Amino acid sequence: MTKLQLALIGTGGTIAGAASAASVSTDYKPASLSLAAVVDTVPELRQRYDIEVSQPLQLASYDVRPEHWLDLHAAVMQAVHNPQVAGIVVTHGTDTLEETATFLHLSVDTHKPIVVVGAMRPATAYSADGPANLLDACSVAACPGAQGRGTLVVMNGRIHSGLWVAKRHVSSVEAFDSPLAGAVGEVADQSVQWFRAAGRAPTVAWKTPSTWPRVDIAVAYAGVDETALRAFVAAGAQGIVHAGLGNANTPTAYRAFIQSLPAQGVLVARCARFITGSVTRASVYADAQHGILTAGPLPPHKVRIVMLLGLAHGMDGPAIQSWIDQILLAG
Ligand code: SIN
């Protein structure tokens, strides 16, 4: 019987991590094993699928930078353009997994399933979750129902949209959740269950950027002043994500400084710091009047990716706001 071909793309992380003993699950070195070696620990993978392995990156995901996303994007596009490949699985560290998943979700325009997967426990641990997660990710990537959903994340039997997924626990295997949005499906063995119809946010019209713009995140807190904002501007920030209190508020003087930034050529987007909920455009910030973007329920680190992609593709503030609105409409 002909087996479905899956492209497995390795980037490192805990799923490829090794500790000094099997009883150790938090003190280990991520990205110690090649993806090919990890695949070899799960014999069912090659029994079920025709597996093509590539390894454009090998690092802990806390070391991932936007420059690495360009190498990953190129590897993913190679698999997208290969007519033999039915689905794509990217193995990744969990610390910035949701950032890479958001980047791929908003930059790779394909009907083929792309599934990002990681593990909370190193490959050497008694309780390693990587093998089961990898098998689940392949089940999802091979599932026709995964088509047209953009980039998905599979962790601990749950399927999440790459856009909404968030790491919510530092060590539990049940670390990932999609606040407000919820999981889009579940996977158990080879059985995949979807909770909502396929659909996805519109992507940027991708052209590989020669450089990334600088976009920083300024987090507000009681008594915050403009020191960090001024430092970001001095460092050449083209965009600043303002992660505010409540409905993205701040002390009054800080607000006036933020409101002055777009006129100085620094794009600002407002979103909430650590809480969920949709930040509204109508507020004391008067976003429309000051040319400030409103990011609704998107968290700061994901708003930053939208701004990075938008600015790198020559979009101005209104164009990025319109893209954010379309992304939120798609849900
Ligand atoms: C990393 O993000 O590479 C380390 C942590 C993890 O993968 O769980």
Side-chain angles (χ1 to χ4, degrees):
M1 199 181 76
T2 318
K3 291 189 260 187
L4 217 54
Q5 189 175 120
L6 298 180
L8 268 55
I9 301 174
T11 72
T14 295
I15 195 165
S20 56
S23 54
V24 177
S25 65
T26 60
D27 180 12
Y28 57 90
K29 191 170 172 297
S32 296
L33 309 174
S34 67
L35 175 56
V38 174
V39 167
D40 286 345
T41 66
V42 191
E44 285 88 344
L45 281 173
R46 291 199 187 278
Q47 288 160 18
R48 290 181 191 171
Y49 311 107
D50 175 9
I51 301 279
E52 290 288 316
V53 176
S54 64
Q55 182 98 45
L57 301 170
Q58 177 70 323
L59 71 175
S61 81
Y62 43 72
D63 284 329
V64 165
R65 301 174 53 81
E67 291 74 18
H68 295 118
W69 292 336
L70 302 183
D71 296 328
L72 178 59
H73 194 281
V76 168
M77 289 315 293
Q78 204 175 335
V80 164
H81 289 135
N82 181 347
Q84 307 300 319
V85 170
I88 299 156
V89 174
V90 177
T91 58
H92 200 284
T94 62
D95 285 356
T96 60
L97 185 147
E98 68 214 63
E99 293 181 54
T100 294
T102 299
F103 164 74
L104 292 174
H105 191 73
L106 296 177
S107 68
V108 181
D109 186 8
T110 178
H111 208 60
K112 286 186 187 178
I114 301 173
V115 180
V116 186
V117 64
M120 294 300 293
R121 308 268 160 84
T124 49
Y126 288 129
S127 57
D129 51 332
N133 284 347
L134 186 56
L135 206 52
D136 284 347
C138 290
S139 297
V140 173
C143 174
Q147 292 171 6
R149 293 178 185 268
T151 296
L152 299 166
V153 168
V154 170
M155 289 292 290
N156 205 32
R158 301 274 196 289
I159 311 168
H160 297 274
S161 158
L163 181 65
W164 296 116
V165 72
K167 186 174 180 178
R168 309 270 281 169
H169 196 282
V170 298
S171 58
S172 167
V173 293
E174 180 61 345
F176 283 78
D177 189 12
S178 297
L180 296 180
V184 298
E186 279 188 327
V187 51
D189 296 336
Q190 284 176 287
S191 165
V192 179
Q193 174 67 52
W194 299 102
F195 301 146
R196 66 182 78 133
R200 56 157 311 150
T203 63
V204 77
W206 176 261
K207 279 204 176 118
T208 305
S210 50
T211 56
W212 287 104
R214 183 181 180 108
V215 178
D216 291 298
I217 300 175
V219 180
Y221 45 86
V224 66
D225 67 16
E226 300 86 62
T227 308
L229 292 172
R230 290 185 197 281
F232 292 146
V233 173
Q238 292 176 44
I240 292 178
V241 179
H242 153 48
L245 311 165
N247 191 25
N249 296 314
T250 47
T252 309
Y254 187 102
R255 184 204 311 160
F257 188 77
I258 292 244
Q259 287 168 327
S260 75
L261 288 175
Q264 297 175 47
V266 181
L267 200 57
V268 174
R270 277 177 63 240
C271 63
R273 51 171 199 179
F274 313 121
I275 56 175
T276 56
S278 300
V279 168
T280 59
R281 198 148 175 76
S283 81
V284 288
Y285 256 86
D287 289 347
Q289 189 185 324
H290 293 95
I292 296 172
L293 310 182
T294 322
L298 289 172
H301 50 307
K302 302 212 176 203
V303 179
R304 174 173 176 263
I305 293 165
V306 174
M307 291 177 87
L308 281 171
L309 284 168
L311 288 168
H313 286 82
M315 291 161 78
D316 62 9
I320 296 177
Q321 182 66 62
S322 160
W323 189 29
I324 290 172
D325 295 344
Q326 290 171 50
I327 291 168
L328 299 181
L329 202 61

